[in-house]
Amino acid sequence: MPLRHNAAEPAAADRTFQVDLRGLVDLLSHHLYSSPRVYLRELMQNAVDALTARHAIEPAGSFGIRLYADGATVRVEDDGVGLTEADVHTFLATIGRSSKRADQVAEQRADFIGQFGIGLLSCFLVADEIHVVSRSARTPDAPAVEWRGRGDGSYTVRTLPASARPRPGTTVTLTPRADADEWTRPTQVHALARHFGSLLRHPVTFHDGSGGPAVPVNPEPAPWSSTYPTPGARSRALAAYGEEVFGFTPLDTIELDLPAVGLKGIACVLPEAVPAGRRHGHRVHVKGMLLSEQAEEILPEWAFFVRCVVDAESLRPTASREALYEDDTLAAVRDALAERLREWIARAAASDPELLGRFLQAHHLAVKSLAVHDDEILRMLLPWLPFETTAGHCTLDEFARTHRTVLVTSSVEEFRQVAAIASAAGLGVVNGGYTYDRQLVHRLPEIRPEVTVADLDPATLTAHLDPVDRETELAAAAYLAQARDALAVFDCDVALRTFQPASAPALLVDSREARHERTRSQLAREQEGGLWGDILGALRQEAPRAQLILNQLNPLVRTAVTIDEPELARTSAEALYGQAAMLSRRPLRPAESSLINRSFLDLLAHALRKDS
């Protein structure tokens, strides 16, 4: 039953939240901003936005930003739109309200960098007091106004004579705390200004208080905005800029231009391979101001072979202005930039095979990951991608010229088991054990219809091994029986064949799936009668056996099959199994390691007894 208020009861009074400014600043410093250094970026952003608003009312004006740092104070002056006393009370003294949201400039909101109204608070990360003097350009006869905000949450406002700020604009002055010297020294302020503002469109100068001339912070426009006498000169300038920013000489530079969102920049192709899945951060500027050096979200995950530096107009920053807000615009930009990278790969494949070769040599894994999901890249580049094959490392196009039937292994160890024998038998086998390789090789017929691709079956390999004659088989029958008995503990059969190379005494044919099935069968036998045994029994199939194929062409095997002493026959069979297991390069089970040691010691003991 709903509660009813007694008409005689007084109405609850509305109250306002009380803000602990020091606690809020601590929150910003530890959870919103990555470092106290952002205070200068926030001041520069506010100055740039003020200049943008000033240009809206005086399009022909020439305005700029001046930075001062002499060790005692840090000062930022701008020729922007300025504030009246009413503006100061409304915007500087109200946390969360931005002057960029005023009605008179609301329609131009997209032209501003900052939109959250908390930027000025970042100054409390390095100073206990913020001193602002401003004069409005919107109200020419308005006096200058002074605002002093303190870290305890208090502030004062007073009007000043016109001489305090004769021209419209704003001056923000900070007196740094002693513990903020790291971020407020003149050299550091200049470096931070260059770091954040090198691509700003408004002129920015720095003064160190020594009396010397002002130093330009952004003397050159962005390299992609400049004109060059030749395409080659432009390409070299972009590459030099990429090297300056990222510290490596790009394999190539890809110019990026998305007019719909006002994005321009370059992608620098890394000259060396990077680990699969490792994503590099990209430098993203918004309207010239550096937003982030670690903006992973600007490109898709597969594009880890490039690093980008871009400047955009329409991307939204997060509240900290150190990352990009994930929205539909960012998703569209990411897709468009991915398409630019695909176009670059297509151009290289069509017109610059040398560049394509160097690119694939370094970044074939990245291209393989792209080709798995991109049919266009698959058709274009699959024949050119390198793979490990029985003919060595080569492209699928080269391999398919000599092998119309391509067999692919499911693991690296399976390939290493069979590579030498398969090559000698004339089989074309590709190592499908590496990431993406097996699924890509299976798609080769889409590009080369004359080629057939199949998974390697151990039976396919053994079918290409030549049988021995009947007399040799009968003469070796007793030895083979002893060998099968010795190796029964490993579920391993033994056969005698002839194959190349003759230097290989034995081949162990065994797959990972077969070993897993035998392990499961063994567990089922051990757990027979219990619930777990019933479950494993239901899953149990006929357990496939490994096969040790002895090479009759090998002198060691020809000698071994003549052994008539049972113990020595068993020991030699175990030694041949151990050698074949090691040559397969797969991890050895404890029982196999023990067998190898034991068979070696037994053979050594037999030799010593024979000599004595």
Side-chain angles (χ1 to χ4, degrees):
M1 187 173 181
L3 296 175
R4 296 181 180 178
H5 290 288
N6 190 326
E9 293 179 358
D14 288 337
R15 298 179 182 273
T16 59
F17 285 104
Q18 301 300 309
V19 177
D20 178 356
L21 188 60
R22 178 53 61 193
L24 182 59
V25 170
D26 183 69
L27 178 67
L28 295 179
S29 63
H30 289 95
H31 300 285
L32 184 64
Y33 295 123
S34 62
S35 164
R37 68 177 185 168
V38 299
Y39 82 92
L40 189 67
R41 184 198 64 196
E42 296 293 329
L43 290 177
M44 293 173 68
Q45 284 182 347
N46 288 342
V48 170
D49 288 339
L51 293 180
T52 302
R54 179 81 180 271
H55 274 291
I57 58 178
E58 299 179 48
S62 178
F63 311 117
I65 301 170
R66 296 166 296 282
L67 308 178
Y68 299 84
D70 57 9
T73 61
V74 175
R75 190 166 80 252
V76 179
E77 294 182 358
D78 68 68
D79 302 318
V81 70
L83 301 170
T84 64
E85 183 175 353
D87 293 334
V88 166
H89 285 288
T90 302
F91 301 121
L92 297 190
T94 306
I95 296 171
R97 180 177 295 175
S98 171
S99 62
K100 274 77 76 175
R101 292 177 179 166
D103 292 341
Q104 60 266 41
V105 295
E107 69 277 5
Q108 299 171 339
R109 184 181 180 190
D111 294 332
F112 297 98
I113 301 172
Q115 300 174 1
F116 296 94
I118 58 175
L120 197 62
L121 288 180
S122 66
C123 295
F124 287 122
L125 300 177
V126 298
D128 288 324
E129 184 176 278
I130 305 171
H131 180 217
V132 178
V133 176
S134 187
R135 185 173 182 183
S136 175
R138 298 185 189 282
T139 311
D141 57 346
V145 60
E146 176 192 70
W147 178 87
R148 288 183 183 272
R150 288 170 286 276
D152 61 6
S154 63
Y155 71 93
T156 59
V157 179
R158 65 188 182 109
T159 57
L160 300 175
S163 59
R165 177 82 203 197
R167 296 181 301 172
T170 301
T171 300
V172 180
T173 304
L174 308 178
T175 302
R177 295 193 304 271
D179 62 356
D181 178 67
E182 177 184 359
W183 307 110
T184 56
R185 292 192 302 267
T187 54
Q188 181 68 286
V189 171
H190 183 215
L192 290 176
R194 287 278 299 164
H195 179 73
F196 290 120
S198 61
L199 298 186
L200 287 175
R201 293 81 182 267
H202 304 286
V204 183
T205 58
F206 173 76
H207 307 253
D208 64 4
S210 64
V215 179
V217 168
N218 53 343
E220 301 292 335
W224 47 81
S225 300
S226 302
T227 56
Y228 301 90
T230 64
R234 182 178 184 85
S235 179
R236 288 190 294 273
L238 295 178
Y241 181 74
E243 183 172 4
E244 177 187 346
V245 170
F246 295 123
F248 63 83
T249 302
L251 185 66
D252 197 17
T253 55
I254 307 165
E255 195 156 358
L256 307 174
D257 188 3
L258 303 178
V261 292
L263 183 146
K264 290 180 179 291
I266 57 173
C268 297
V269 182
L270 290 157
E272 297 177 349
V274 295
R278 175 181 172 186
R279 299 184 67 185
H280 285 288
H282 307 287
R283 287 178 65 96
V284 175
H285 299 251
V286 174
K287 302 175 182 67
M289 182 68 72
L290 178 64
L291 182 78
S292 174
E293 297 175 275
Q294 300 297 325
E296 296 181 353
E297 62 275 16
I298 196 74
L299 287 180
E301 290 185 7
W302 57 259
F304 54 83
F305 56 87
V306 297
R307 294 193 69 182
C308 293
V309 52
V310 299
D311 185 20
E313 294 287 335
S314 301
L315 295 178
R316 281 180 66 190
T318 60
S320 67
R321 294 197 278 258
E322 296 185 301
L324 294 171
Y325 186 80
E326 189 68 47
D327 57 9
D328 291 343
T329 300
L330 179 57
V333 166
R334 183 164 50 238
D335 291 343
L337 293 180
E339 185 59 31
R340 297 296 183 273
L341 298 185
R342 291 190 186 93
E343 291 171 357
W344 175 83
I345 294 174
R347 287 196 303 272
S351 60
D352 197 339
E354 180 186 2
L355 174 61
L356 180 67
R358 288 187 287 131
F359 169 67
L360 291 179
Q361 184 177 11
H363 300 295
H364 58 272
L365 186 58
V367 177
K368 286 178 180 179
S369 69
L370 175 58
V372 166
H373 307 290
D374 192 307
D375 291 343
E376 182 180 349
I377 293 296
L378 178 81
R379 289 191 298 271
M380 188 172 14
L381 291 183
L382 181 58
W384 306 101
L385 290 172
F387 289 83
E388 185 179 8
T389 74
T390 47
H393 282 83
C394 62
T395 66
L396 284 185
D397 198 54
E398 294 170 330
F399 195 64
R401 291 175 195 166
T402 54
H403 298 89
R404 286 293 183 254
T405 298
V406 175
L407 302 174
V408 58
T409 65
S410 59
S411 66
V412 173
E413 66 181 62
E414 186 178 281
F415 176 81
R416 289 170 176 169
Q417 287 179 38
V418 305
I421 288 94
S423 178
L427 296 176
V429 181
V430 178
N431 186 351
Y434 295 113
T435 307
Y436 311 120
D437 283 14
R438 184 166 172 264
Q439 57 194 121
L440 287 174
V441 174
H442 271 287
R443 297 191 67 180
L444 182 60
E446 299 176 28
I447 317 300
R448 298 283 184 268
E450 70 277 9
V451 177
T452 301
V453 176
D455 286 329
L456 177 66
D457 185 343
T460 303
L461 180 63
T462 55
H464 282 76
L465 306 181
D466 296 326
V468 297
D469 60 71
R470 184 171 180 76
E471 290 183 4
T472 303
E473 182 81 31
L474 289 173
Y479 178 83
L480 294 177
Q482 293 281 358
R484 292 186 186 108
D485 184 61
L487 300 179
V489 67
F490 298 112
D491 288 315
C492 183
D493 196 8
V494 184
L496 186 65
R497 298 286 189 273
T498 62
F499 54 86
Q500 295 293 338
S503 59
L507 169 67
L508 181 60
V509 179
D510 195 14
S511 67
R512 180 182 302 173
E513 292 75 12
R515 292 197 301 277
H516 287 173
E517 182 58 35
R518 290 198 301 275
T519 300
R520 186 165 57 190
S521 298
Q522 177 65 28
L523 285 173
R525 289 194 295 270
E526 294 174 356
Q527 300 287 337
E528 191 169 354
L531 176 61
W532 181 237
D534 292 341
I535 295 173
L536 290 175
L539 296 174
R540 181 168 52 195
Q541 305 170 3
E542 184 64 30
R545 293 169 65 82
Q547 193 171 33
L548 180 68
I549 303 175
L550 304 179
N551 186 3
Q552 176 64 18
L553 298 180
N554 183 268
L556 177 60
V557 172
R558 287 202 302 270
T559 300
V561 296
T562 64
I563 297 173
D564 55 8
E565 184 180 335
E567 286 302 319
L568 182 59
R570 291 175 62 91
T571 300
S572 65
E574 290 173 343
L576 287 169
Y577 176 90
Q579 182 184 24
M582 288 191 295
L583 290 174
S584 71
R585 301 184 186 181
R586 64 170 171 79
L588 296 178
R589 291 173 287 179
E592 291 173 330
S593 299
S594 177
L595 174 139
I596 292 170
N597 293 330
R598 187 180 68 250
S599 62
F600 176 79
L601 291 173
D602 288 348
L603 287 174
L604 185 59
H606 178 82
L608 291 174
R609 285 197 305 271
K610 185 176 180 181
D611 291 340
S612 59

